[in-house]
Amino acid sequence: QVQLVESGGGLVQPGGSLRLSCAASGSIFSIYPMGWYRQAPGKQRELVAAVTSGGSTNYADSVKGRFTISRDNAKRVYLQMNSLKPEDTAVYYCNIRIATTTYWGQGTQVTVSS
């Protein structure tokens, strides 16, 4: 009933920037918590940033000060990534939590390499 479509990933050099976007569609009738997770090769999926229905944000310590999560409305969320490091290389996933169900996007690859 809910679909998430991500875009904006790619290959960038260390110190560069990328802006990820996530567009949600379907049975979304209010503002729900949304977030970005990432999974690097050989590692567990981890929370990168999240925004609540009230607009408060939370960031992983590793990205604090470099990444910014924002939303236009109930159906679109962004992740601005600055000062990228090779350690940021991962597949980035967008999600939305509606009641007891969490929906995930397909993931977008971010590679930081010289």
Side-chain angles (χ1 to χ4, degrees):
Q1 63 183 45
V2 173
Q3 299 81 42
L4 302 174
V5 179
E6 303 169 340
S7 62
L11 173 65
V12 297
Q13 297 184 69
S17 298
L18 282 175
R19 185 177 178 86
L20 307 183
S21 65
C22 174
S25 62
S27 301
I28 302 173
F29 307 111
S30 186
I31 299 177
Y32 299 96
M34 298 185 71
W36 290 93
Y37 286 70
R38 68 185 181 187
Q39 187 167 23
K43 295 187 176 182
Q44 294 292 309
R45 183 179 61 190
E46 64 176 351
L47 174 69
V48 177
V51 58
T52 71
S53 58
S56 63
T57 58
N58 185 56
Y59 299 91
D61 288 341
S62 60
V63 307
K64 196 170 300 182
R66 299 187 297 121
F67 292 10
T68 303
I69 187 170
S70 62
R71 66 194 307 166
D72 286 342
N73 47 47
K75 297 185 176 182
R76 184 170 289 111
V77 65
Y78 303 92
L79 184 68
Q80 178 66 46
M81 304 184 293
N82 298 326
S83 302
L84 283 162
K85 304 175 180 180
E87 308 92 273
D88 296 318
T89 296
V91 178
Y92 285 71
Y93 300 90
C94 173
N95 75 8
I96 182 170
R97 192 180 76 213
I98 302 176
T100 61
T101 304
T102 300
Y103 301 88
W104 295 90
Q106 79 285 357
T108 184
Q109 177 71 48
V110 172
T111 302
V112 185
S113 176
S114 60

